[in-house]
Amino acid sequence: MAVAGEDPYRSFISGEGEKDTEWRFGAPPNYDVVNRLFEADRTNVWPLGSLEERVQRMVKTWEMELSHKVRPQDFKSVNLEKFTLSVNGRRGLTAAGIGEIGGSYNAFLQTDLPKKLRIYDPEEETRDTSSREFLTTFPRGFAVEILQVYSGPPVVAYRFRHWSYMDGPFKGHAPTGELVQFSGIGIFHVDEDWRVEKVELFYERGDFLSSFLKGAPLEHGEAAGACPFVSS
């Protein structure tokens, strides 16, 4: 449930429980911009308190904490003693392990492709460079919605969609203004308090990344930066 002062779609951003939280950019994130994108383009408006709405809030809250809270001990959506994240069947990562490989973008975009074929190379990116890259490309943020929930707790299986518009450049390619999106399957194992213990995500990353190459090559120095306060 949302409380006064909270983001309408995410928990654990404001309030007394967050007074000692260490935020990555020095303050809680503001999701107003990406919330407008979400509300404009979402395919469903789930009733408050429905299973779908609870799962959507859980996913958005978990992504927020993973991206914006510096210390894993400040995560309230996660059971840190058990938590792991695996993407497309890869080895599971702990919260600390996600930080060690450069944060959530690098965790979500892991690949075994040869380096010369990588549009985005997580081995070459840090948390800061990856955030800057995608937030420059998606100044309206990168929205996420739950399309369907297949099962409730303790094993929550669902289908999701992530999307935005390529309003900014990406690694030397000009903005296209086109819709960029991908969908996939998520499986969240949760405890009796809905704290996440294990995350399994399955989706096709290649088509998503190749869409950035539609933009014409830019001359050196044309790309611009962006404020890192907009996310999913």
Side-chain angles (χ1 to χ4, degrees):
M1 282 286 187
V3 298
E6 282 278 7
D7 180 275
Y9 306 110
R10 299 164 186 83
S11 303
F12 309 130
I13 294 181
S14 61
E16 183 67 18
E18 303 306 319
K19 63 183 179 64
D20 296 321
T21 295
E22 185 174 339
W23 296 100
R24 188 159 309 283
F25 301 110
N30 185 313
Y31 283 93
D32 289 351
V33 173
V34 75
N35 284 348
R36 287 195 289 271
L37 173 64
F38 167 72
E39 290 167 354
D41 288 1
R42 60 185 166 180
T43 58
N44 293 288
V45 179
W46 300 117
L48 189 66
S50 65
L51 177 61
E52 292 84 359
E53 187 269 338
R54 291 193 67 182
V55 171
Q56 187 162 264
R57 173 174 288 274
M58 175 182 66
V59 171
K60 287 176 179 283
T61 298
W62 172 73
E63 289 192 355
M64 176 277 295
E65 292 198 309
L66 195 63
S67 297
H68 288 278
K69 292 186 176 180
V70 174
R71 303 176 303 188
Q73 61 263 37
D74 290 329
F75 294 6
K76 298 177 178 65
S77 64
V78 168
N79 183 339
L80 286 175
E81 294 181 358
K82 297 183 178 182
F83 176 77
T84 60
L85 162 68
S86 68
V87 177
N88 292 332
R90 300 177 71 92
R91 175 180 62 88
L93 296 169
T94 64
I98 293 169
E100 289 168 3
I101 68 168
S104 56
Y105 285 110
N106 286 347
F108 295 149
L109 295 173
Q110 297 171 80
T111 181
D112 293 319
L113 283 172
K115 292 184 75 67
K116 64 181 180 181
L117 298 179
R118 297 180 184 182
I119 300 168
Y120 174 90
D121 187 353
E123 294 178 5
E124 300 294 329
E125 303 287 349
T126 66
R127 185 188 293 272
D128 289 341
T129 62
S130 63
S131 294
R132 189 179 311 117
E133 193 73 56
F134 284 103
L135 293 169
T136 297
T137 304
F138 297 143
R140 284 188 271 178
F142 197 38
V144 62
E145 70 168 335
I146 300 306
L147 299 173
Q148 186 174 359
V149 177
Y150 302 111
S151 62
V155 181
V156 180
Y158 63 91
R159 187 161 61 94
F160 66 90
R161 178 174 77 110
H162 256 299
W163 79 94
S164 192
Y165 294 85
M166 190 179 174
D167 294 330
F170 182 84
K171 291 191 175 296
H173 290 269
T176 64
E178 293 183 4
L179 175 68
V180 177
Q181 65 180 336
F182 69 89
S183 59
I185 298 295
I187 303 172
F188 275 43
H189 300 249
V190 301
D191 64 16
E192 61 274 13
D193 297 316
W194 281 68
R195 292 185 305 164
V196 181
E197 297 182 337
K198 180 180 179 181
V199 176
E200 300 171 88
L201 299 175
F202 300 91
Y203 53 87
E204 172 53 56
R205 62 188 293 284
D207 292 342
F208 164 66
L209 290 172
S210 64
S211 62
F212 296 133
L213 303 184
K214 294 179 181 179
L218 291 169
E219 295 295 330
H220 181 69
E222 285 188 74
C227 172
F229 271 76
V230 181
S231 188
S232 59

